[in-house]
């Protein structure tokens, strides 16, 4: 009786059919956690993938997370040394029972890479989920676990990247080849801002775009798919989704699948990559769920004890090398608007640009609700953006900070109790706040206002004119949801533009 064996040079991957004999057996199932017994000589290493050979609706793959124990199985002819591993399933386990055979794949989970994934919507295992054809048989695959590029291979250069969004270009410029994140609680406009950046930057971007939907709603994924198809950039984009209704293992690893696709284009094809992730907090949340299922003791605020290393594993792989850059834009949910949350605080340390969204500004209708005082960027330096831009940005921040300091006095006593200098600063700060709002392309169908993209020089020109007092006689309403200073001037000249 002969047995089919896979050659060492071509290990089976997590998407191919079973071709090797089963080597293990399921001994316990607790939700997404599966305990499997293997012979001690065939114990799969940590982070390797195993396939459960069940009769369920789709293939079931799990990732080994720990080695539990070892023992002896009593055989008829001789005793067999065996060990138990604990794995996290990447799909649902409903209907799985003990005694089902398991095959060790001999490799970590792999993802398809290369031109075949462009224009496709994939899941965490790289399977198409867009009702399209299967990927070509010869599509190369790469393991989702790999170290980041060594420091000696990284490119230290960071050039500002213009977005056409006034408040970002002025106060928190994004870096080509850097990492930026939008922080905010529920309902303050994170996804809208990320969608606007996708539309603006993907259309200008000449390289490849990879979108990772981590814990996304099905509606949001459908809207993104339709938006990219309408804008004609889908053929240069790969979308990888781990939806909100999927098991925590899928949501935990989908970001690594997207990173693997991006790294292939960077390393093998030397192409620039725009990596978009929404929402990174769902990655942390999935990791906390997995940690609890594995029985690990929680750390601060109930997070997993491996929080810092898991975030670093994801973020440090977003790196640029000479000849090819990876630019990352991420959305981060802030639970209960608490920016001291351990997951949020840990993410801040990995970023070049941090764009903080304010609930108070959103309540006033000042969109995008980017907080000009809390948002920061390592590129806002006179050696990078120039002395004039840097000084103007600092003056804008000081003026708005002065207005915020006076808001309690204004609420209690009114503007009349302020000095003449303070009243002037307040009027200019209010005009600055409204000038830094603008309508978005992605919200045209909801607001009825056409989207506006503003060049950086026009943003600087408008802010300088407001601070110099050239616009003191114009009404505040003329600055709201508009673009350049010339457009504000045209509004102010209209009879309706002079009303407060």
């Amino acid at each position: 009786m002969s047995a089919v064996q896979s050659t060492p040079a071509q290990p089976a991957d997590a998407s191919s059919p079973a071709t090797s004999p089963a080597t293990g057996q399921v001994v316990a199932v607790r939700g997404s956690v599966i305990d499997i017994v293997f012979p001690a000589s065939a114990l799969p290493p940590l982070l390797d993938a195993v396939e459960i050979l069940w009769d369920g609706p789709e293939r079931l793959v799990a990732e080994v997370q720990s080695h539990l124990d070892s023992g002896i199985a009593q055989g008829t002819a001789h005793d067999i040394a065996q060990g138990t591993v604990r794995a996290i399933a990447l799909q649902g386990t409903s209907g799985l029972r003990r005694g089902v055979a398991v095959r060790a794949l001999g490799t970590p989970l792999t993802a398809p890479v290369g031109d075949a994934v462009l224009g496709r919507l994939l899941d965490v295992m790289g399977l198409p989920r867009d009702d399209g054809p299967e990927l070509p048989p010869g599509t190369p695959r790469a393991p989702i676990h790999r170290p980041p590029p060594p420091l000696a291979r990284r490119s230290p250069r960071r050039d500002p990247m213009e977005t056409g969004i006034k408040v970002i270009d002025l106060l928190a410029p994004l870096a080509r080849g850097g990492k930026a994140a939008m922080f905010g609680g529920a309902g303050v406009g994170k996804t809208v801002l990320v969608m606007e950046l996708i539309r603006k930057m993907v259309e200008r971007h000449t390289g490849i775009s990879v979108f990772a939907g981590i814990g996304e709603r099905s509606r949001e994924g459908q809207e993104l798919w339709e938006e990219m198809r309408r804008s004609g950039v889908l053929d240069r984009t790969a979308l990888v989704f781990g939806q909100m209704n999927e098991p925590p293992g899928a949501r935990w690893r989908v970001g690594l699948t997207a990173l693997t696709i991006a790294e292939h284009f960077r390393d093998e094809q030397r192409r620039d990559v725009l990596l978009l992730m929404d929402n990174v907090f769902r990655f942390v949340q999935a990791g906390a769920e997995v940690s609890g299922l594995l029985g690990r003791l929680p750390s601060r605020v109930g997070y997993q004890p491996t929080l810092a290393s898991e975030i670093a594993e994801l973020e440090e792989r977003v790196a640029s090398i000479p000849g090819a850059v990876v630019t990352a834009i991420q959305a981060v949910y802030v639970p209960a608007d608490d920016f001291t949350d351990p997951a949020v605080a840990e993410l801040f340390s990995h970023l070049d640009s941090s764009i903080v969204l304010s609930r108070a500004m959103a309540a006033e209708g000042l969109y995008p609700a980017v907080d000009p005082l809390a948002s920061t960027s390592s590129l806002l330096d006179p050696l990078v953006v120039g002395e004039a831009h840097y000084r103007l940005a600092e003056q804008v921040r000081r003026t708005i900070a002065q207005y915020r300091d006076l808001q309690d006095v204004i609420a209690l006593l009114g503007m009349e109790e302020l000095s003449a200098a303070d009243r002037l600063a307040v009027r200019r700060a209010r005009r600055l706040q409204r000038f830094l709002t603008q309508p978005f392309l992605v919200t045209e169908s909801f607001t009825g206002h056409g989207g506006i993209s503003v060049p950086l020089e026009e943003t600087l020109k408008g802010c300088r004119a407001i601070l110099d007092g050239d616009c003191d006689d114009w009404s505040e309403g003329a600055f709201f949801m508009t673009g350049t200073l010339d457009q504000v001037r045209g509004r102010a000249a209209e009879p309706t533009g002079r009303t407060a």
Side-chain angles (χ1 to χ4, degrees):
M1 181 175 178
S2 62
V4 180
Q5 297 181 345
S6 59
T7 61
Q10 296 178 336
D13 61 62
S15 67
S16 61
T19 56
S20 60
T23 58
Q25 188 178 68
V26 173
V27 293
V29 182
R30 292 179 295 276
S32 296
V33 178
I34 306 172
D35 289 350
I36 308 165
V37 167
F38 284 93
S41 59
L43 204 64
L46 297 181
L47 301 184
D48 260 21
V50 296
E51 181 183 3
I52 290 83
L53 305 177
W54 69 329
D55 55 357
E58 59 181 8
R59 294 183 64 243
L60 179 57
V61 175
E63 185 179 84
V64 176
Q65 290 297 315
S66 61
H67 291 180
L68 298 181
D69 54 31
S70 59
I72 299 293
Q74 302 296 324
T76 54
H78 54 274
D79 294 342
I80 303 173
Q82 64 183 18
T84 305
V85 301
R86 181 162 289 171
I88 288 290
L90 301 181
Q91 295 86 21
T93 58
S94 178
L96 180 62
R97 63 186 185 277
R98 290 185 296 176
V100 173
V102 179
R103 177 171 68 103
L105 298 178
T107 177
L109 183 70
T110 61
V113 295
D115 293 336
V117 303
L118 296 179
R120 305 304 303 271
L121 190 150
L122 311 173
D123 65 7
V124 65
M125 291 183 10
L127 300 175
R129 298 296 183 183
D130 52 9
D131 292 332
E134 295 295 322
L135 296 178
T139 302
R141 302 184 70 92
I144 67 169
H145 296 286
R146 58 183 296 184
L151 288 175
R153 286 191 60 223
R154 298 195 185 195
S155 174
R157 185 170 179 176
R158 295 287 187 273
D159 298 322
M161 184 168 57
E162 196 170 318
T163 66
I165 300 175
K166 290 183 285 188
V167 65
I168 292 178
D169 290 341
L170 174 68
L171 300 175
L174 305 187
R176 180 177 176 270
K179 288 175 279 191
M182 322 295 159
F183 294 86
V188 297
K190 292 185 306 300
T191 299
V192 170
L193 185 56
V194 169
M195 289 283 289
E196 182 72 7
L197 284 169
I198 290 172
R199 180 152 181 176
K200 288 180 182 296
M201 298 178 66
V202 168
E203 289 176 354
R204 301 180 185 183
H205 182 66
T206 57
I208 299 300
S209 300
V210 179
F211 182 88
I214 306 174
E216 283 282 271
R217 301 173 182 88
S218 301
R219 171 186 57 79
E220 293 173 340
Q222 177 69 19
E223 289 174 356
L224 178 67
W225 174 265
E226 296 294 341
E227 178 69 27
M228 289 194 161
R229 187 164 59 179
R230 280 195 302 268
S231 58
V233 297
L234 189 59
D235 60 343
R236 293 188 285 113
T237 305
L239 297 97
V240 188
F241 275 83
Q243 294 182 165
M244 190 176 285
N245 64 324
E246 294 189 49
R251 290 179 273 119
W252 192 37
R253 292 311 190 201
V254 68
L256 300 184
T257 299
L259 266 173
T260 302
I261 294 172
E263 287 168 336
H264 175 85
F265 287 112
R266 179 196 67 192
D267 297 336
E268 305 301 326
Q269 299 189 16
R270 286 294 194 271
R271 301 175 73 175
D272 292 349
V273 181
L274 180 62
L275 178 64
L276 307 145
M277 289 192 279
D278 186 8
N279 184 306
V280 178
F281 181 78
R282 304 298 178 200
F283 160 77
V284 175
Q285 200 172 40
E289 291 179 48
V290 168
S291 180
L293 290 170
L294 293 174
R296 297 171 183 159
L297 289 175
S299 182
R300 289 187 301 160
V301 199
Y303 285 112
Q304 60 270 42
T306 54
L307 173 67
S309 59
E310 287 179 13
I311 291 176
E313 180 186 7
L314 180 77
E315 296 289 348
E316 290 305 307
R317 284 174 60 180
V318 182
S320 301
I321 62 175
V325 300
V326 176
T327 304
I329 297 175
Q330 310 164 37
V332 182
Y333 168 70
V334 180
D337 291 342
D338 180 13
F339 286 90
T340 64
D341 185 88
V344 176
E346 187 64 36
L347 280 162
F348 269 111
S349 63
H350 292 274
L351 303 172
D352 297 295
S353 302
S354 302
I355 299 168
V356 177
L357 301 180
S358 164
R359 187 170 299 281
M361 294 183 65
E364 293 182 40
L366 300 174
Y367 289 104
V370 176
D371 190 330
L373 304 185
S375 301
T376 60
S377 173
S378 61
L379 271 71
L380 194 60
D381 184 284
L383 297 177
V384 179
V385 298
E387 188 72 28
H389 182 168
Y390 173 75
R391 290 188 179 277
L392 180 62
E394 290 300 302
Q395 191 175 354
V396 167
R397 281 204 173 112
R398 283 197 302 271
T399 303
I400 295 176
Q402 184 180 358
Y403 168 51
R404 290 191 179 178
D405 290 340
L406 295 169
Q407 279 183 316
D408 289 341
V409 176
I410 296 170
L412 291 173
L413 303 175
M415 286 279 290
E416 293 75 14
E417 297 300 320
L418 301 180
S419 66
D422 284 344
R423 285 199 299 270
L424 185 62
V426 168
R427 286 197 295 269
R428 291 176 181 175
R430 288 176 63 87
R431 284 165 172 77
L432 281 171
Q433 284 186 327
R434 282 150 182 77
F435 179 69
L436 293 177
T437 64
Q438 68 189 89
F440 282 167
L441 294 167
V442 297
T443 59
E444 285 182 8
S445 58
F446 305 106
T447 63
H449 298 289
I452 296 175
S453 183
V454 182
L456 175 60
E457 56 269 22
E458 290 293 334
T459 301
L460 300 178
K461 176 183 172 183
C463 291
R464 172 52 58 199
I466 294 171
L467 291 169
D468 288 346
D470 297 342
C471 311
D472 287 350
D473 295 333
W474 299 356
S475 70
E476 291 180 4
F479 294 85
F480 182 68
M481 284 294 171
T482 189
T484 65
L485 187 65
D486 291 335
Q487 293 172 333
V488 178
R489 183 182 291 109
R491 275 195 184 184
E494 299 172 0
T496 55
R498 297 187 180 279
T499 60

